[in-house]
Amino acid sequence: MKHKIKKSFMALMCLVSLQGFANSGTTPLWMRYPNISPDGEQIAFAYKGDIYTVPTKGGQAKQITTSETYESQPIWSNDSKTIAFVSDRFGGMDIFTVPATGGQATRITTHSGSETPLAFSPCNKFIYFSASLQDPASSILWAKWMQELYMISVDGGRPMQITATPVHSVSFDKDGKSFLYEDCTGVENIWRKHHVSSVARNIFYYDSATDTHKQITTNVGEDRDPIFCGDGKMVFLSERNGGSFNVYEAPVNDAENVKALTNFKKHPIRF
């Protein structure tokens, strides 16, 4: 597991230097939302409104979607065979799936608003996503942008609400139901650097057995994108120590006991 994490991390860093991209003679810019397949073989990413994949070892990128509409935010199924993404083919940002090798895309969600795919369930039968559909009557959240967490069958159908808490960046624990996530309690621009207001994002652990949420990072700045990496540890992005976004490792049960894995001074690591 540790070897795969390190391999995947290096592949992510290499994404910015991709050569021979889509028969282009120039280095592409603004590639976003890179996501490494669970088998460690491919990186899916968004570029100019379409989804592409490229081997983690480098090489020619393959265009997976070719629609004239906007596609973005790819995530992988756990068997690395399917990619889910968002598209505005029907107006709102709906979730679609497509074989990782390319092919016909299948529409999964049909709400008129916007959804954000977060993760496939460990069994690959459901897709977890965030959206602003309907708060429960007991909720004290009122703003439309404070989204709830849902899951939906990979075959489509009616979504089921998991929690009304604004959840982003889901990474499942070994039980397949509990997960790490980052919260979102404000409208601060996600691209802002060195943000330390009261709505700076923190990392939480959701315990499915007790239906409880526990904040596990207390840094005054941004902590984002937690990922389980085995041995009770996680990796995540943080602007702690007054620097740019870098990758940190920490025990899940002692999340402020961090170890910096990167030390970029000027340009932040995203995604």
Side-chain angles (χ1 to χ4, degrees):
M1 175 63 75
K2 289 184 178 179
H3 175 72
K4 182 174 288 188
I5 289 292
K6 291 180 180 178
K7 175 183 176 182
S8 299
F9 172 69
M10 292 305 297
L12 193 59
M13 295 299 100
C14 290
L15 184 60
V16 295
S17 61
L18 180 66
Q19 299 295 318
F21 178 84
N23 299 316
S24 172
T26 60
T27 300
L29 300 175
W30 300 106
M31 294 179 290
R32 286 182 170 177
Y33 303 101
N35 204 314
I36 300 167
S37 59
D39 63 9
E41 298 296 321
Q42 297 282 325
I43 304 172
F45 61 97
Y47 176 66
K48 289 188 174 181
D50 277 306
I51 306 300
Y52 291 78
T53 60
V54 66
T56 53
K57 295 180 180 179
Q60 184 73 29
K62 178 180 180 180
Q63 188 170 351
I64 301 300
T65 65
T66 57
S67 173
E68 295 181 357
T69 52
Y70 178 79
E71 277 82 57
S72 188
Q73 302 180 64
I75 62 170
W76 291 91
S77 61
N78 297 289
D79 59 8
S80 302
K81 294 181 178 180
T82 304
I83 297 173
F85 60 94
V86 291
S87 175
D88 61 358
R89 299 182 188 193
F90 294 92
M93 296 300 288
D94 292 311
I95 296 173
F96 290 74
T97 59
V98 67
T101 53
Q104 182 67 39
T106 300
R107 187 182 185 185
I108 304 301
T109 62
T110 59
H111 189 259
S112 59
S114 297
E115 292 86 48
T116 301
L118 301 178
F120 279 78
S121 64
C123 65
N124 288 323
K125 294 181 179 180
F126 300 94
I127 296 172
Y128 281 67
F129 67 95
S130 59
S132 184
L133 302 184
Q134 184 174 352
D135 283 313
S138 59
S139 177
I140 62 173
L141 303 178
W142 58 271
K144 190 68 174 176
W145 46 262
M146 298 184 77
Q147 300 181 328
E148 308 88 46
L149 179 67
Y150 297 86
M151 74 175 187
I152 190 170
S153 168
V154 293
D155 298 318
R158 183 173 181 175
M160 182 177 73
Q161 187 177 97
I162 303 300
T163 176
T165 302
V167 169
H168 294 251
S169 299
V170 168
S171 180
F172 284 100
D173 204 345
K174 291 182 292 185
D175 65 2
K177 294 181 179 180
S178 303
F179 51 81
L180 290 169
Y181 70 92
E182 68 179 60
D183 67 340
C184 180
T185 57
V187 294
E188 186 59 58
N189 190 311
I190 64 170
W191 307 112
R192 178 182 173 185
K193 299 178 181 179
H194 314 303
H195 171 215
V196 293
S197 83
S198 60
V199 298
R201 301 189 183 204
N202 293 291
I203 294 174
F204 284 71
Y205 180 83
Y206 171 69
D207 188 328
S208 176
T210 59
D211 192 27
T212 56
H213 302 255
K214 179 181 179 181
Q215 181 177 338
I216 62 173
T217 63
T218 58
N219 170 42
V220 296
E222 293 274 320
D223 291 327
R224 298 183 183 176
D225 298 324
I227 300 174
F228 278 108
C229 59
D231 298 329
K233 295 181 179 180
M234 65 175 180
V235 292
F236 62 100
L237 297 181
S238 179
E239 281 189 318
R240 61 188 57 226
N241 302 323
S244 290
F245 276 108
N246 277 286
V247 180
Y248 290 82
E249 180 185 72
V252 173
N253 61 3
D254 187 15
E256 287 301 320
N257 182 18
V258 300
K259 174 185 177 182
L261 301 185
T262 65
N263 190 31
F264 291 97
K265 300 295 185 181
K266 183 177 181 181
H267 299 297
I269 295 177
R270 303 288 190 180
F271 314 113

